Amino acid sequence: MRLLQLRRGRTMAAEDDDMSKRIILITGANKGIGFETARQLAREGHTVIVAARDAAKAEAAVAQLAREGLGAEAVALDVTDAASIARAAEQVGARHGKLDTLVNNAGVVQEGWGTTTSQTTLDQWRGTFEANVFGLVAVTQAFLPLVRKSEAGRIVNVSSILGSLTLHADPSSPIYDMKSVAYDTSKAAVNQYTIHLAHELRDTNVKVNAAHPGWVKTDLGGEQAPMEVEDGAKTSVWLATLPADGPTGGFFHMRDRLPW
């Protein structure tokens, strides 16, 4: 079965000649913020690789983009499966030889909203960290050699304002009473990983940042969320295409820096 499918008419030579057009892989891109991020980046003319745990869902997302007149590729990538990650990295490397931007968008919530800290089970902790932290790190490690080959590598780790220790500890902050301990802690870990990886890569052409999409109307955010998915994708789109003088090692929402 063909898991990586090229649906774009541009040649590799044309892409090499135009560095404003990037090769961008987005995990969990078959729906929600990930899909909208893919849509917006495809509209800008980038080569977008839609990665999803299920190959059929990735292909369906690519087909939806094609109906909108947008080109994209599909790849099967389960962030909790080492073999799946390795296959995806091999396929992208064979197809493109590099990766300009990796958007680590895939994530889960295991505990129900309103579950108290003491009620959160170890299975919920483990499931959350397996996808949101260990999966993100595994994908980054697998694709970093390809990102290093880019003339302007970018890594975007989709985090959440709920990972902010500063705001969670502040009784006057808007998230003070919004506690979901396993999810929140996983995003704090993503933020810390972002800082450390950016530090390691500080003297290279790779920039690493964390993005807070906002509270968005998705399967995760729910219908009561105040933001539409179009706006929820904007932070990732910006960080995915940062210019040479853009930031690294930061935590952002709509270009505003957030407290750790």
Side-chain angles (χ1 to χ4, degrees), residues 89-108:
E90 181 180 1
Q91 290 168 345
V92 172
R95 172 70 69 177
H96 297 290
K98 67 171 184 176
L99 183 65
D100 294 307
T101 300
L102 170 64
V103 181
N104 284 309
N105 171 80
V108 301

Side-chain angles (χ1 to χ4, degrees), residues 29 33 89 97 111 113-114 140 144 164 183 188 197 204 209 214-215 240 244 253 259:
I33 294 170
E111 74 250 63
W113 297 115
T140 303
L144 184 56
S164 171
Y183 179 80
L197 187 60
T204 74
N209 290 287
W215 185 10
H253 173 65

Side-chain angles (χ1 to χ4, degrees), residues 24-41 48-53 61 77-80 99 101-109 128 130-140 143 154-160 183 186-187 190 193-194 209-214 216-221 229-237 239-240:
I24 302 173
L25 184 142
I26 307 162
T27 64
N30 59 295
K31 63 178 182 178
I33 294 170
F35 180 75
E36 180 60 27
T37 301
R39 174 188 278 134
Q40 292 183 23
L41 289 167
V48 174
I49 305 171
V50 173
R53 180 172 52 188
L77 196 167
D78 181 347
V79 303
T80 64
L99 183 65
T101 300
L102 170 64
V103 181
N104 284 309
N105 171 80
V108 301
V109 175
T128 302
E130 192 64 41
N132 294 1
V133 182
F134 305 139
L136 182 149
V137 172
V139 169
T140 303
F143 282 93
R154 304 290 181 260
I155 297 174
V156 182
N157 295 326
V158 177
S159 182
S160 170
Y183 179 80
S186 75
K187 293 304 185 180
V190 167
Y193 178 68
T194 299
N209 290 287
H212 166 53
V216 181
K217 290 183 175 70
T218 62
D219 290 347
L220 191 153
V229 69
E230 292 82 4
D231 289 327
K234 289 180 179 178
T235 304
S236 291
V237 169
L239 292 172

Side-chain angles (χ1 to χ4, degrees), residues 122-133:
L122 285 176
D123 284 344
Q124 290 169 333
W125 276 96
R126 291 186 177 109
T128 302
F129 267 68
E130 192 64 41
N132 294 1
V133 182

Side-chain angles (χ1 to χ4, degrees), residues 103-215:
V103 181
N104 284 309
N105 171 80
V108 301
V109 175
Q110 293 284 322
E111 74 250 63
W113 297 115
T115 303
T116 65
T117 297
S118 60
Q119 290 173 334
T120 304
T121 68
L122 285 176
D123 284 344
Q124 290 169 333
W125 276 96
R126 291 186 177 109
T128 302
F129 267 68
E130 192 64 41
N132 294 1
V133 182
F134 305 139
L136 182 149
V137 172
V139 169
T140 303
Q141 289 178 341
F143 282 93
L144 184 56
L146 293 175
V147 176
R148 284 180 177 272
K149 293 180 179 180
S150 170
E151 294 183 18
R154 304 290 181 260
I155 297 174
V156 182
N157 295 326
V158 177
S159 182
S160 170
I161 198 172
L162 295 177
S164 171
L165 301 181
T166 299
L167 295 178
H168 267 302
D170 181 359
S172 67
S173 87
I175 69 164
Y176 182 69
D177 291 318
M178 300 175 66
K179 299 287 195 283
S180 293
V181 66
Y183 179 80
D184 299 353
T185 308
S186 75
K187 293 304 185 180
V190 167
N191 289 349
Q192 186 73 284
Y193 178 68
T194 299
I195 293 170
H196 281 66
L197 187 60
H199 179 268
E200 176 186 343
L201 299 172
R202 65 193 183 280
D203 294 325
T204 74
N205 58 3
V206 180
K207 296 181 184 294
V208 187
N209 290 287
H212 166 53
W215 185 10

